[in-house]
């Protein structure tokens, strides 16, 4: 076991392993391209759907059951199915990753919208706000922490699953896993799996830090009873 991890360390830090089109740097870039583009497409589809369901209260059954659907979906089977229909193209990979990412975004967006206090929405309407003004000026800002959590969860799921690109002969960090299995190279398999885990953890920490930066200061001010927009009287 010690020898295995020793060889893994050498594999990860080798300069030759990082260079060229088959190098780690290039594979990470491919992996991020697949993951970020798939999550962006999923957000374009899922955010309006989650906002609509949460704002109108209609279709809650769909939002609740999408989460279970996403967990039960056989991603590799979907890749193979789209691959058989569309041929050798990245469409099979993107379709599978987008379908995987949509449920978490929809359910968290719906949950965030549902958590908005009805009294706050009634007060906004009482001040003369129209439906779209209540949505964009009241509901979405209050639901934004949970919406961002959904985006964060989806991105991490997609990063962890984007290794399937190598299953249909494309790139990404899954290339090391599938090639290593074919060559019975355990060090390469562990190297690919380790890199996927590191990329997922780094992205998760970065998004968690961004979320805390955006929302924690206001939460602290509210919990301390201070209004960030209220001026303190000047000392005499």
């Amino acid at each position: 076991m010690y020898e295995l991890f020793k060889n893994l360390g050498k594999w990860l830090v080798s300069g030759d392993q990082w260079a060229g089109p088959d190098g780690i740097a290039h594979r990470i870039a491919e992996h991020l391209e697949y993951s970020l583009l798939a999550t962006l497409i999923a957000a374009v589809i899922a955010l309006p759907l989650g906002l609509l369901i949460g704002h109108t209260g209609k279709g809650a059954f769909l939002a609740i059951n999408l989460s279970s659907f996403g967990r039960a979906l056989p991603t590799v089977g979907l890749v193979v199915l789209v691959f058989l229909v569309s041929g050798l193209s990245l469409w099979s990979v993107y379709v599978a990753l987008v379908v995987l990412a949509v449920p978490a975004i929809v359910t968290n967006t719906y949950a965030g919208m549902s958590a908005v206090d009805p009294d706050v929405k009634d007060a906004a309407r009482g001040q003369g706000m129209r439906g779209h003004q209540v949505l964009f000026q009241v509901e979405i800002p209050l639901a934004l922490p949970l919406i961002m959590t959904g985006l964060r969860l989806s991105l991490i799921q997609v990063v962890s699953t984007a290794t399937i690109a190598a299953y249909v002969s494309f790139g990404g960090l899954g290339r090391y896993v599938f090639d290593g299995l074919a060559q019975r190279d355990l060090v390469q398999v562990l190297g690919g799996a380790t890199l996927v885990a590191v990329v997922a953890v780094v992205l998760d920490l970065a998004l968690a830090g961004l979320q805390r930066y955006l929302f924690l200061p206001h939460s602290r001010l509210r919990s301390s009873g201070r209004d960030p927009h209220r001026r303190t009287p000047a000392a005499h």
Side-chain angles (χ1 to χ4, degrees), residues 32 37 46 58 74 77 84 105 118 128 132 138 174 180-181 197 212 216 229 234:
L32 289 174
L37 183 55
K58 299 177 181 178
L84 293 174
I105 300 175
H132 68 279
V138 177
L181 289 172
R212 283 195 299 270
L216 189 58
H229 302 292

Side-chain angles (χ1 to χ4, degrees), residues 118-138:
D119 291 339
V120 175
K121 293 186 283 187
D122 289 340
R125 294 189 185 97
Q127 292 179 353
M129 286 189 177
R130 297 179 180 273
H132 68 279
Q133 292 175 315
V134 174
L135 173 63
F136 288 103
Q137 297 180 32
V138 177

Side-chain angles (χ1 to χ4, degrees), residues 53 59-67 103 106-107 110:
I53 294 173
F61 179 81
L62 171 65
I64 293 170
N65 284 276
L66 265 177
S67 179
V106 171
T107 52
Y110 165 72

Side-chain angles (χ1 to χ4, degrees), residues 93-206:
V93 176
Y94 282 122
V95 167
L97 294 179
V98 168
V99 171
L100 175 70
V102 162
I105 300 175
V106 171
T107 52
N108 276 271
T109 302
Y110 165 72
M113 297 287 286
S114 300
V116 177
D117 191 338
D119 291 339
V120 175
K121 293 186 283 187
D122 289 340
R125 294 189 185 97
Q127 292 179 353
M129 286 189 177
R130 297 179 180 273
H132 68 279
Q133 292 175 315
V134 174
L135 173 63
F136 288 103
Q137 297 180 32
V138 177
E139 292 180 280
I140 292 179
L142 292 174
L144 201 54
L146 273 177
I147 293 173
M148 286 195 63
T149 298
L151 291 170
R152 176 182 162 193
L153 290 173
S154 293
L155 179 58
I156 302 309
Q157 284 181 319
V158 168
V159 168
S160 302
T161 313
T163 52
I164 59 172
Y167 188 77
V168 285
S169 302
F170 290 100
L173 293 172
R175 190 80 271 154
Y176 297 125
V177 176
F178 286 98
D179 289 350
L181 289 172
Q183 299 165 12
R184 297 185 178 180
D185 185 348
L186 186 56
V187 171
Q188 188 177 179
V189 174
L190 286 176
T194 300
L195 289 169
V196 171
V198 169
V199 170
V201 168
V202 168
L203 284 174
D204 187 41
L205 291 175

Side-chain angles (χ1 to χ4, degrees), residues 35-55:
S35 303
L36 294 175
L37 183 55
T39 306
L40 178 61
I41 295 172
V44 170
I45 297 170
L47 282 175
L49 182 59
L51 292 173
L52 178 64
I53 294 173
H55 181 65

Side-chain angles (χ1 to χ4, degrees), residues 12 18 26 33 39 58 63 70 118 135 140-141 143 159 190 197 208 210 219 226:
L12 289 171
W18 284 82
H26 184 70
E33 179 184 347
T39 306
K58 299 177 181 178
L135 173 63
I140 292 179
V159 168
L190 286 176
L210 176 63
S219 299
R226 294 170 55 193

